[in-house]
C-alpha cells in the first residue's frame, strides 16, 4: 500500500519514496497506520531534518535512520518497544532525543556517532544497554540510567568525551571492556556493591576520574589496584 511517499507492507514502513529534496529538507510525520519502521527505510537520507514517529509504531528497525547526517530532531511516540541495531547511528546533527517510557530494548550501536546529542534518559523498562550503543556521542554530557538496568555492553559509552558523571544502578554486576574508555571529562562514577567485575580498559584515559562506592566493595579494591581516587558513600 502506498500512502503519499510511504510504501507500507503489512503494517511495516518499507520505503520512503520521495525524490531528493533539491531546495531544503524533509520534516517527516510517519502515518498512523504504520506498526513498524523497516530496516534501512531512511538510511543515508541527507535531506531528512526531522521525524515524528507515532505511538502506533512498536519497532524501529536496523539502520532505519542510520547515516541521516542532517537529522536534528526525532520525536518518538509512546508505544515504541524496540529500537534496532544501528537505528540512528551517525545522525551527527541530532541534538534532541526523548526515548519513550515504553522502550524496553535498545540494539547495539543504536546511537553510535550521534555527535551532537547532549543528554539522554534511558527508560525504566530497559534492562540492558548493548555494545557501543552510545559510542562516540562526543557531546553527551548527561546520561540517566534506569533502576532496572542489569547489563552494560562492551564500549557502550566509549569516546563520550563530554560525559562528566555517571551513576551505575544497583543490580548491574559487571562493567565491561572499554565501557567508558576515552571519556576524557569523566570526573565521577558511582559503582554499586552489586558490581563484582570490571573489564580491561573500562576507564582508559579517564584521567580525572574518582570512583564512588561503598566500603569493602569490589569498586574500592579496583580503585586501589588501579590507583584511581576513591570516595566512600
Amino acid at each position: 500500500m502506498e500512502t503519499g511517499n510511504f510504501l507500507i507492507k503489512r503494517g511495516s514502513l518499507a520505503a520512503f519514496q520521495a525524490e531528493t529534496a533539491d531546495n531544503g529538507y524533509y520534516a517527516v510525520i510517519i502515518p498512523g497506520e504504520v506498526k513498524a519502521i523497516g530496516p534501512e527505510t531512511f538510511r543515508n537520507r541527507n535531506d531528512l531534518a526531522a521525524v515524528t514517529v507515532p505511538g502506533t509504531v512498536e519497532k524501529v528497525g536496523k539502520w532505519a535512520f542510520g547515516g541521516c547526517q542532517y537529522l536534528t530532531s526525532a520525536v518518538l511516540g509512546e508505544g515504541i518497544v524496540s529500537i534496532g541495531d544501528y537505528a540512528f547511528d551517525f545522525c551527527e546533527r541530532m541534538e534532541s532525543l526523548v526515548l519513550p517510557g515504553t522502550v524496553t530494548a535498545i540494539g547495539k550501536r543504536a546511537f553510535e556517532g550521534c555527535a551532537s546529542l547532549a543528554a539522554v534518559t534511558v527508560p525504566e523498562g530497559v534492562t540492558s544497554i548493548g555494545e557501543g550503543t552510545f559510542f562516540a556521542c562526543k557531546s553527551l554530557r548527561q546520561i540517566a540510567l534506569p533502576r532496572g538496568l542489569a547489563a552494560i555492553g562492551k564500549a557502550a559509552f566509549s569516546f563520550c568525551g563530554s560525559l562528566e558523571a555517571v551513576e551505575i544502578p544497583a543490580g548491574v554486576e559487571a562493567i565491561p571492556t572499554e565501557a567508558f574508555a576515552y571519556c576524557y571529562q569523566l570526573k565521577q562514577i558511582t559503582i554499586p556493591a552489586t558490581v563484582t567485575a570490571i573489564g580491561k580498559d573500562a576507564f582508559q584515559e579517564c584521567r580525572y576520574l574518582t570512583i564512588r562506592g561503598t566500603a569493602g566493595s569490589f569498586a574500592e579494591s579496583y580503585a586501589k589496584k588501579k590507583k584511581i581516587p576513591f570516595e566512600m558513600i
Side-chain angles (χ1 to χ4, degrees):
M1 178 179 69
E2 293 191 18
T3 302
N5 292 316
F6 302 102
L7 176 62
I8 303 169
K9 295 181 178 180
R10 297 182 179 178
S12 179
L13 180 57
F16 179 62
Q17 302 178 124
E19 296 292 333
T20 301
D22 293 326
N23 298 309
Y25 301 94
Y26 289 107
V28 171
I29 300 175
I30 305 296
E33 59 264 38
V34 172
K35 307 298 182 187
I37 299 175
E40 303 189 39
T41 299
F42 294 91
R43 190 179 184 187
N44 295 331
R45 291 279 319 210
N46 288 330
D47 55 359
L48 182 65
V51 63
T52 300
V53 181
T56 56
V57 172
E58 296 181 356
K59 180 180 180 181
V60 178
K62 187 175 183 178
W63 276 307
F65 298 96
C68 292
Q69 295 182 21
Y70 291 90
L71 181 64
T72 60
S73 175
V75 178
L76 307 181
E78 293 286 335
I80 294 174
V81 175
S82 173
I83 297 174
D85 296 348
Y86 311 99
F88 291 90
D89 74 334
F90 295 100
C91 292
E92 296 175 353
R93 290 171 174 80
M94 187 164 64
E95 300 172 354
S96 64
L97 175 70
V98 177
L99 295 174
T102 49
V103 170
T104 60
I106 301 175
K108 69 179 181 181
R109 300 191 181 272
F111 303 103
E112 177 183 6
C114 291
S116 300
L117 197 60
V120 174
T121 298
V122 181
E124 285 297 325
V126 174
T127 58
S128 67
I129 293 176
E131 176 185 336
T133 296
F134 295 98
F135 186 97
C137 290
K138 62 184 182 182
S139 297
L140 187 65
R141 295 174 64 89
Q142 299 177 29
I143 183 78
L145 301 177
R147 289 170 293 181
L149 189 68
I152 297 172
K154 178 182 177 181
F157 299 96
S158 288
F159 289 95
C160 290
S162 299
L163 193 61
E164 295 182 351
V166 177
E167 182 173 351
I168 306 297
V172 173
E173 296 181 355
I175 297 174
T177 300
E178 299 180 356
F180 296 93
Y182 304 100
C183 292
Y184 302 109
Q185 299 301 318
L186 187 62
K187 298 177 178 65
Q188 177 178 293
I189 186 165
T190 302
I191 299 177
T194 53
V195 169
T196 57
I198 297 177
K200 182 180 179 181
D201 298 331
F203 304 108
Q204 180 78 10
E205 296 297 325
C206 298
R207 298 181 180 183
Y208 307 110
L209 181 63
T210 294
I211 292 176
R212 301 176 74 243
T214 55
S217 64
F218 180 85
E220 183 180 21
S221 61
Y222 175 86
K224 184 177 180 180
K225 179 181 179 181
K226 297 294 184 179
K227 297 181 180 180
I228 298 172
F230 182 79
E231 180 180 308
M232 203 172 299
I233 58 174

